[in-house]
Amino acid sequence: MISFSPTEEQSLIVDTLKRYAKDRLRKVFRDADEDGELPADLLAKGWELGLVGASIPEAYGGFGELSAVTGALALEELGWGDLSTALALEAPATFALPILAAGTEEQKQEWLARFSDETYPNATAAMLEPTIRFNPRQLQTTATASGDGYVLNGVKAYVPLASSAEHVLVYANEAGKTQAFIVPVSASGVSVGEREKLMGVRALDLGRLSLENVTVGGEGKLGGAAGINFDVLYARSQVALAALAVGVARGAYEYALDYARNRQAFGEAIGQRQSIAFMLAEMLVEIDGTRLMTWEAAWKLDQGEDALRAALLAKRTADKTVLMVTDRAVQILGGHGYIREFPVELWLRNARGFATFDGLAIV
Amino acid sequence: MAIEFNLPEAIATQQSAALMVAEHMMRPVSRHFDEHEHDIPWDFINGLWPVMRANPMFGAGESKPKNGDSGDKPKRTPIGNMTMIHLIEALSWGDAGIYLAAPGGGLGAAAIAAAGTTEQKQRFLARFRESEKPVWGSMAMTESQAGSDTSAIRTTAVRAGDEWVLNGEKIYCTAGRLSLEESAGLVVVWATIDPKAGRAGMRAFVVEAGTPGMKVAKLEHKLGIRASDTAAIVFTDCRIPLSNVLGSTEVVTAEQAAQPGGPKGFQGAMKTFDATRPAVAASALGITRATLELLHAKLLEAGYELRSDVPYHDMSAVERDFLDLEAQHRAAWLLTQKAAWLMDMGEPNTVEASVCKVKAGEAATLITQKAVEMLGPLGYSRELLIEKWMRDAKINDIFEGTGQINRLIIARRILGFSSRELK
């Protein structure tokens, strides 16, 4: 049946996150961006919402099940609240959910329980590399089979919370295929480099990670000897980023809509002019369309269907939509849009990142 | 309820039947009816009529029970509008012009079903179920000086005893000839009963084929959808029974009509757009899907790769173009399904109906035009249907509300401005 209404359970999650985003994230996001860090207790509090635990079945210590649709709904709300916080809260998910989706039974038993605990786990994933020719299916970081295990070499970029991470899921090129490896940051040859200095998501700690002859045992390769189907994990990541982008776009659209309704010029609200009103109508059209494409790709993942194309289409569309919408929000606010007392310039800077972000979130 | 995207079995079955019709009865004659404008596709019409008259959703105008109003029957989720858009999409994949010539009640029956009394529905709509021969219904709204601005309509309806007398000239009436000259059909005519009252004086009148004083004066020559007739209709002292007016005969102001339970004049029948806009969007997207399928096949034939597993920055320009066109189509089709779903759920969908119409009208125009370009000398040639589909597609950004009018409708709703505040 084709249907567009979330389940009651999903609606409950969405409502909770709406409140959290409004009451917590929207209160701190500007200062966090200016300060270059998230408030100390923000992640701890956010973690208590049980976002990752809700994706993990009871058998592995969690209290829910993996659903890309539910994940997409949740991430839209977090993206609406603040992208830096959303990505920080997602960092442990990028470690845990691939293990849940593609790990061996032993890996699930070993790692997943801690993600339902009340303490924020210092785990993250490393996908991006510092090159303009970045290709997630032809990574420059290599994993070479050696004895019972693997030796990893390469440099990873934009690793969420790299400076505080204890475990990293590192994506690497093993004989031409992308595989994932569980690497303790304490392992010999791992070094955390400088924090990235970025245009947006400035409250988020994204760092470099160097791997020099890092040895990983056979048990550290995700999915065991057979490895993973990278296409599926990558599609899950694209859907997550698309959902976050929809949230960012919706936030900017709502702000600009409200502004256009109230801002007076030439004796009337600027929204009473078609040049502004039509921009807003088009922003809504694109946001709604992008959301539905994201949901459809998520639904395909949940059905176990091939979601390669759908996820690519959703992510590409989301990249364009979020940039278009946040740019127009700045434009509608005019001079105000350019000033840091107003939020829209921050959202434009964050939005531009989506075309670059890879592997920073997952459903 | 949940968020789901699987097509119900009942719709899938009807969809494949419609695709069979599209492939075998429409595509083979597509070019002929494009090049012989005003020829009537009788084989298609006669073949389809028994199916259409058995199918209430194609304009026989039977009102569907609302949610929870199904008596003792087991409660089933209504899928009437969802079915309709899938069938329209499939037939338009065959040929959008021939689809518009399909027999049935069309917009005329839709208006009667939305705004008519029980007696009117019985009197006017029975023919679309019972007639042995194909019958059409149509809608006459546009005039030479009144397009999007329907308040400028000048056709008058004057009461004379127990009759209305209509005078004026209507243009751009889709299937006007089929309704009035080729069948015992009808046309719903918009006219004013008080020229000073603007929209408040506007009423819809049912005029049956064969009524003296009504004449099909002209058939337009068009850019595309040439298999569908677009008629000008002249009314000269055309007399119809008093009971042929839809809705109240009082002059209703916009304020009165906006009251809950208030009298519905113009607004009542405007509701039909909530159903017809997704239908137009679906037709646009049928053409678009046909275009994308042929484009895909021709590009592969020519040796292009269309990959999903390489980064955007490593794709060729052709690959990128195709990806973006496909995304536009997907977004538009999902928006259309959502608008139809809301209607089936009995939820308001005015904004969503305009949203899908804006997106589909634009996507169909863009995609078909780009496909002509991408296929080079093949695209521009009349040997393929691509150039025809580009001409056919364009109407969808114009009729049932232009892209601009639909943007205006969306903008007024989201901003909370009246038509006076946001012109």
Side-chain angles (χ1 to χ4, degrees):
Chain A
M1 181 64 199
I2 300 167
S3 153
F4 299 91
S5 58
T7 62
E8 271 181 49
E9 205 183 331
Q10 287 167 337
S11 301
L12 221 61
I13 293 172
V14 166
D15 288 346
T16 306
L17 291 177
K18 259 192 211 303
R19 269 199 307 278
Y20 172 69
K22 184 162 172 279
D23 299 342
R24 300 278 307 170
L25 307 191
R26 283 293 182 92
K27 296 280 196 298
V28 301
F29 75 103
R30 169 56 80 182
D31 286 346
D33 186 77
E34 297 285 335
D35 297 347
E37 61 182 351
L38 298 168
D41 66 332
L42 191 67
L43 288 188
K45 289 279 176 209
W47 188 254
E48 285 171 12
L49 293 170
L51 280 172
V52 177
S55 302
I56 297 175
E58 278 177 37
Y60 303 113
F63 42 87
E65 57 171 356
L66 189 63
S67 160
V69 170
T70 308
L73 291 168
L75 287 176
E76 178 178 334
E77 299 309 322
L78 291 177
W80 181 92
D82 176 50
L83 185 59
S84 287
T85 318
L87 291 173
L89 285 169
E90 265 292 290
T94 60
F95 182 91
L97 298 192
I99 292 177
L100 176 61
T104 62
E105 187 57 31
E106 290 75 21
Q107 286 166 339
K108 292 181 199 178
Q109 295 292 351
E110 183 180 353
W111 294 101
L112 292 180
R114 70 189 70 183
F115 290 89
S116 305
D117 283 353
E118 279 176 18
T119 353
Y120 178 85
N122 291 316
T124 188
M127 167 97 77
L128 266 162
E129 297 175 342
T131 162
I132 58 170
R133 293 295 302 268
F134 173 72
N135 183 341
R137 291 179 177 85
Q138 287 171 22
L139 293 171
Q140 293 177 6
T141 300
T142 55
T144 314
S146 164
D148 291 341
Y150 303 88
V151 178
L152 271 57
N153 278 290
V155 180
K156 289 292 178 179
Y158 289 66
V159 180
L161 293 113
S163 65
S164 52
E166 290 164 21
H167 293 93
V168 186
L169 189 68
V170 176
Y171 291 89
N173 185 335
E174 187 207 340
K177 282 192 172 163
T178 297
Q179 299 293 346
F181 300 86
I182 299 167
V183 178
V185 176
S186 59
S188 166
V190 177
S191 56
V192 177
E194 272 190 39
R195 181 166 162 178
E196 310 274 2
K197 294 182 181 66
L198 305 176
M199 174 193 202
V201 289
R202 295 176 66 154
L204 179 68
D205 167 19
L206 290 169
R208 292 275 164 100
L209 191 78
S210 297
L211 303 128
E212 206 180 327
N213 293 322
V214 176
T215 310
V216 177
E219 77 287 348
K221 179 177 168 183
L222 190 61
I228 54 169
N229 179 344
F230 178 70
D231 281 347
V232 175
L233 282 188
Y234 191 62
R236 302 193 83 92
S237 169
Q238 288 181 309
V239 166
L241 288 163
L244 285 165
V246 169
V248 173
R250 197 186 90 211
Y253 158 75
E254 287 172 1
Y255 195 93
L257 184 69
D258 192 53
Y259 185 90
R261 217 182 261 139
N262 295 303
R263 171 73 178 177
Q264 300 286 313
F266 308 105
E268 61 182 6
I270 61 168
Q272 289 177 253
R273 304 279 170 129
Q274 288 189 355
S275 59
I276 302 291
F278 279 22
M279 277 206 271
L280 287 161
E282 288 162 5
M283 288 152 78
L284 175 72
V285 170
E286 295 309 312
I287 293 168
D288 279 1
T290 308
R291 178 186 296 113
L292 297 182
M293 289 175 78
T294 305
W295 286 1
E296 189 187 34
W299 176 81
K300 283 188 173 196
L301 283 167
D302 287 346
Q303 300 298 303
E305 284 182 24
D306 178 6
L308 182 69
R309 190 75 177 171
L312 171 68
L313 289 169
K315 174 61 166 51
R316 168 69 190 152
T317 303
D319 292 348
K320 289 203 310 188
T321 297
V322 71
L323 186 63
M324 179 275 252
V325 170
T326 53
D327 178 71
R328 285 186 175 195
V330 170
Q331 191 68 26
I332 288 168
L333 266 75
H336 286 161
Y338 204 71
I339 304 290
R340 298 222 297 278
E341 275 174 43
F342 294 82
V344 288
E345 64 79 31
L346 184 156
W347 292 331
L348 171 59
R349 287 186 286 113
N350 286 352
R352 180 65 282 185
F354 279 98
T356 299
F357 299 153
D358 241 330
L360 296 196
I362 196 156
V363 287
Chain B
M1 276 295 161
I3 294 168
E4 293 173 340
F5 295 88
N6 39 346
L7 195 60
E9 190 68 32
I11 298 181
T13 311
Q14 294 189 64
Q15 185 192 39
S16 31
L19 281 171
M20 287 284 282
V21 170
E23 192 181 344
H24 299 293
M25 296 170 75
M26 301 172 90
R27 283 285 180 93
V29 296
S30 218
R31 185 55 78 179
H32 172 88
F33 287 101
D34 183 61
E35 299 199 338
H36 299 79
E37 195 164 15
H38 306 152
D39 268 16
I40 296 172
W42 283 115
D43 287 348
F44 165 79
I45 289 165
N46 290 324
L48 203 63
W49 177 239
V51 185
M52 299 295 271
R53 52 184 279 231
N55 200 334
M57 79 188 70
F58 275 106
E62 280 178 356
S63 55
K64 281 174 280 293
K66 288 211 169 64
N67 266 347
D69 197 24
S70 50
D72 295 335
K73 287 181 199 159
K75 199 174 160 190
R76 272 191 311 176
T77 313
I79 53 170
N81 284 282
M82 189 62 79
T83 309
M84 189 169 78
I85 60 161
H86 278 87
L87 298 184
I88 291 172
E89 196 268 356
L91 293 176
S92 301
W93 176 91
D95 186 288
I98 298 176
Y99 147 67
L100 283 170
L107 295 178
I112 295 167
T117 62
T118 310
E119 182 275 330
Q120 286 171 329
K121 287 178 196 173
Q122 179 53 36
R123 184 153 54 100
F124 296 127
L125 300 181
R127 72 195 71 193
F128 299 113
R129 294 186 298 270
E130 291 161 11
S131 168
E132 287 300 317
K133 287 184 186 166
V135 192
W136 288 263
S138 54
M139 168 94 86
M141 177 141 4
T142 303
E143 298 179 6
S144 58
Q145 78 299 330
S148 295
D149 179 10
T150 46
S151 68
I153 283 174
R154 286 183 199 156
T155 296
T156 54
V158 176
R159 189 171 169 171
D162 52 5
E163 287 179 327
W164 292 101
V165 182
L166 301 182
N167 277 290
E169 181 172 349
K170 291 289 177 182
I171 62 169
Y172 299 171
C173 172
T174 297
R177 172 174 64 157
L178 292 170
S179 303
L180 303 177
E181 290 191 338
E182 301 292 342
S183 75
L186 54 81
V187 59
V188 170
V189 181
W190 290 84
T192 177
I193 55 175
D194 181 356
K196 291 186 297 296
R199 279 192 172 181
M202 220 63 79
R203 285 296 171 282
F205 300 86
V206 184
V207 186
E208 295 180 276
T211 305
M214 173 171 65
K215 185 169 171 278
V216 174
K218 182 186 169 191
L219 297 177
E220 303 291 346
H221 295 84
K222 303 191 298 295
L223 173 67
I225 54 163
R226 292 179 184 160
S228 162
D229 80 73
T230 303
I233 307 170
V234 176
F235 298 90
T236 315
D237 290 331
C238 175
R239 291 172 178 272
I240 55 171
L242 264 194
S243 58
N244 281 24
V245 63
L246 296 178
S248 149
T249 53
E250 303 291 313
V251 173
V252 181
T253 65
E255 284 73 24
Q256 286 171 317
Q259 298 295 318
K264 296 282 178 263
F266 193 71
Q267 281 82 358
M270 287 304 260
K271 290 298 281 179
T272 57
F273 283 125
D274 295 347
T276 58
R277 283 182 177 138
V280 169
S283 179
L285 295 171
I287 306 171
T288 310
R289 180 165 63 90
T291 304
L292 283 175
E293 285 174 6
L294 188 55
L295 178 61
H296 190 268
K298 291 290 172 192
L299 289 175
L300 291 184
E301 238 176 80
Y304 285 103
E305 287 187 288
L306 298 171
R307 299 164 294 181
S308 299
D309 58 356
V310 294
Y312 194 70
H313 56 251
D314 280 342
M315 286 181 177
S316 70
V318 164
E319 229 168 353
R320 284 180 168 199
D321 281 344
F322 191 84
L323 181 79
D324 287 338
L325 299 184
E326 196 182 335
Q328 297 283 332
H329 171 262
R330 202 64 211 160
W333 181 226
L334 290 169
L335 289 168
T336 304
Q337 294 185 29
K338 189 182 172 197
W341 173 78
L342 282 169
M343 191 99 189
D344 282 337
M345 293 298 109
E347 303 279 342
N349 75 334
T350 304
V351 171
E352 288 80 2
S354 285
V355 163
C356 78
K357 175 70 166 58
V358 165
K359 186 67 184 175
E362 197 171 83
T365 302
L366 172 93
I367 290 167
T368 53
Q369 290 179 1
K370 189 74 188 173
V372 170
E373 176 203 313
M374 289 173 78
L375 290 173
L378 294 184
Y380 201 70
S381 162
R382 299 214 311 269
E383 279 178 30
L384 291 183
L385 287 167
I386 292 270
E387 66 80 29
K388 174 188 180 298
W389 292 336
M390 177 186 135
R391 291 185 283 107
D392 287 348
K394 185 63 203 169
I395 191 60
N396 295 291
D397 208 15
I398 299 171
F399 66 10
E400 294 297 287
T402 61
Q404 288 65 40
I405 286 296
N406 279 297
R407 278 169 175 79
L408 202 50
I409 290 166
I410 297 166
R412 282 175 186 154
R413 290 286 177 126
I414 60 181
L415 285 156
F417 290 139
S418 66
S419 52
R420 213 167 291 138
E421 289 165 322
L422 175 51
K423 286 181 184 149

